[in-house]
Amino acid sequence: MGCARCGLEREGAGKVGLPGTLGIDIEARICRECWEEWLSTQIRVINHYGLRPAQREDREKLYELAREFLQLGAPVREV
């Protein structure tokens, strides 16, 4: 399966160190190039929205924006 964002068959993102389903989805569905693009973009996103990643609500917003940027769709609800 290709990358969820670019659709190309490339090397995967590898271990990204994010918790829960977001980390699992990125590691399984995102290529290294798209992941690196997000890493360089997230600083601008943090500054644009005035996010404080140490705050839970802001971190959740950042994760939501990462899902959107990486075209992962909404997280699957765990039961």
Side-chain angles (χ1 to χ4, degrees), residues 28-76:
R29 301 176 53 207
I30 299 299
C31 71
R32 181 171 305 283
E33 287 84 354
C34 287
W35 173 242
E36 288 174 359
E37 189 176 340
W38 166 249
L39 290 177
S40 65
T41 300
Q42 76 176 340
I43 299 301
R44 290 190 301 272
V45 169
I46 289 168
N47 291 335
H48 176 77
Y49 289 100
L51 298 176
R52 301 165 313 238
Q55 301 285 328
R56 182 177 182 198
E57 295 126 9
D58 287 3
R59 191 168 49 250
E60 288 174 4
K61 177 68 175 175
L62 185 60
Y63 293 164
E64 177 186 319
L65 293 165
R67 278 192 168 282
E68 184 179 308
F69 180 88
L70 296 169
Q71 299 178 13
L72 289 171
V76 175

Side-chain angles (χ1 to χ4, degrees), residues 8-19:
L8 299 175
E9 293 286 337
R10 294 178 167 168
E11 179 183 356
K15 189 78 172 148
V16 298
L18 291 175

Side-chain angles (χ1 to χ4, degrees), residues 12-25:
K15 189 78 172 148
V16 298
L18 291 175
T21 58
L22 178 59
I24 292 167
D25 284 349

